[in-house]
Amino acid sequence: MDFQLSDDQRALRSGMRDLLGAVFDRDRMRAAVERGGGVDRDRGVDRGLWRELGAAGFFALRLPEEAGGVGLGLPEAVLLFEEAGRALLPGPLVATHLAAGLVKGAAEGEAVVTAAEGGGRPVADLGGADAVLVGGGAGAVAGERLEVLTGEELEAFVAGAVPVRSMDPLTRLHRATGLAGATGLAGASEAYPGALRREGALLSAAEQLGSAARTTEMAVQHARSREQFGSLIGSFQAVKHLCADMLARTEPARSAVYAAAVTGDPVEIAAAKLLADEAAVRNARDCLQIHGGMGFTWEADVHLHLKRAWLRAARWLTAAEAEEVLAADLDPVRPLYSGSAALG
């Protein structure tokens, strides 16, 4: 089986990179960082940016064409979310994508949808959201109980939420206290989450993959231009090893994410999330190390990738949850020897 990207998939990825370069370049990203340093619940995502994404088919990518979508699948969605991760695109991208076809306006980018994952986890980007996906509700979507909060229910939910400080200046967080008995999408009673949360974990892993690839590029670019002791720092063996380690984490994560997108297997998705989280966090740390003292400054972008990677690693499927899924899939361990001969 050929797992190379097709020409159409390469064009899709290239087109999304060009679009994000036009609508969310570094200047616009840094402006958003400077605006977003607080926890004001009344300020939501950039609606103009959201509509641009909707018009490009970002949210409606997997809806059937007869429903107004693009009619593509998870492999193509992963490519778009990888580009979003590279660009540090803010907002509840995953939840709005999953809500396309469920919440009016989500597919077109007219509605902003976030998710209450439960398990005591904060809700991201609640301020200004038009709907909230909550697990444990009365409805049944994609094999799991789900409730979509809108209107007065949403207003009551937001009113009971408490703003909390976020490490990521582009992601506002609230502690939700009004789940009214719902378990959230991360209900602890599930042996493994339903389809929506599995797909959410995979798309989040794709964002982590994009961030890991971008920090690798940033580290290599800096190592090729920064001089110390009369030499480019990229000529130093310690720096070479750091860059090589970053690539060695990114590419296995890429293979795992792409494979999980093709199979949709829950265990492979768990493995992909685990590898992508590690690559994003550790690559951002190594990138910061290669940048030296300037990497710690507010003006550098490295810390933004690290903070977002930490935040994503705690969402949809944590490392501990992924490890439990992988452990549960292992066959029982059989002794190499049995009977009295094993005792000596």
Side-chain angles (χ1 to χ4, degrees):
M1 183 175 292
D2 185 6
F3 280 100
Q4 297 293 321
L5 297 182
S6 68
D7 291 341
D8 288 342
Q9 288 173 327
R10 290 192 182 94
L12 179 68
R13 182 176 63 182
S14 177
M16 180 53 59
R17 186 173 298 188
D18 291 343
L19 173 66
L20 294 181
V23 303
F24 198 72
D25 59 9
R26 185 180 184 277
D27 290 340
R28 191 165 177 178
M29 184 267 289
R30 294 302 307 200
V33 168
E34 298 304 325
R35 290 195 310 268
V39 289
D40 182 358
R41 75 171 64 193
D42 297 322
R43 296 175 61 187
V45 301
D46 183 337
R47 293 286 179 154
L49 174 62
W50 222 243
R51 294 188 184 96
E52 291 269 10
L53 295 173
F58 188 95
F59 302 119
L61 186 77
R62 294 190 296 140
L63 280 182
E65 293 184 21
E66 55 269 23
V70 184
L72 297 178
L74 262 179
E76 289 76 24
V78 158
L79 297 178
L80 297 194
F81 276 83
E82 182 181 349
E83 293 303 314
R86 285 178 56 91
L88 284 175
L89 195 62
L93 299 165
V94 173
T96 303
H97 179 91
L98 295 177
L102 301 177
V103 176
K104 182 179 179 181
E108 298 81 11
E110 295 294 334
V112 176
V113 184
T114 188
E117 298 176 52
R121 304 176 193 181
V123 181
D125 303 295
L126 183 59
D130 299 298
V132 178
L133 302 180
V134 181
V141 179
E144 59 187 306
R145 296 173 64 81
L146 181 73
E147 185 176 0
V148 180
L149 302 183
T150 58
E152 294 182 358
E153 289 182 324
L154 175 61
E155 292 178 6
F157 182 78
V158 173
V162 179
V164 295
R165 185 174 298 279
S166 173
M167 69 179 74
D168 178 12
L170 289 173
T171 306
R172 296 180 180 86
L173 299 175
H174 288 75
R175 185 76 64 188
T177 59
L179 289 179
T183 62
L185 296 180
S189 62
E190 296 177 276
Y192 191 75
L196 282 179
R197 188 167 163 244
R198 288 201 303 271
E199 293 175 2
L202 179 60
L203 296 177
S204 181
E207 290 182 289
Q208 294 283 61
L209 172 61
S211 180
R214 178 60 187 144
T215 51
T216 301
E217 293 174 4
M218 292 167 62
V220 172
Q221 290 168 1
H222 185 74
R224 285 175 170 173
S225 60
R226 178 67 172 172
E227 290 190 11
Q228 285 290 341
F229 310 109
S231 301
L232 294 174
I233 65 171
S235 66
F236 302 151
Q237 188 176 44
V239 175
K240 290 180 181 179
H241 277 270
L242 284 175
C243 292
D245 288 344
M246 293 172 72
L247 183 65
R249 284 190 289 265
T250 301
E251 291 310 311
R254 184 187 309 280
S255 297
V257 170
Y258 286 6
V262 172
T263 66
D265 182 75
V267 177
E268 294 193 9
I269 290 175
K273 181 64 161 58
L274 193 63
L275 288 172
D277 284 345
E278 180 185 23
V281 172
R282 294 187 62 184
N283 281 15
R285 285 177 168 173
D286 284 351
C287 182
L288 192 151
Q289 181 74 19
I290 291 172
H291 277 73
M294 67 176 293
F296 289 85
T297 63
W298 182 258
E299 290 75 15
D301 295 340
V302 185
H303 70 98
L304 298 174
H305 279 277
L306 180 57
K307 292 169 181 175
R308 184 72 65 83
W310 274 331
L311 204 61
R312 287 198 200 103
R315 303 210 54 199
W316 296 100
L317 195 67
T318 66
E321 292 166 341
E323 288 167 353
E324 288 295 329
V325 174
L326 294 172
D329 188 61
L330 295 175
D331 291 330
V333 178
R334 297 184 179 89
L336 293 177
Y337 303 97
S338 61
S340 59
L343 301 177

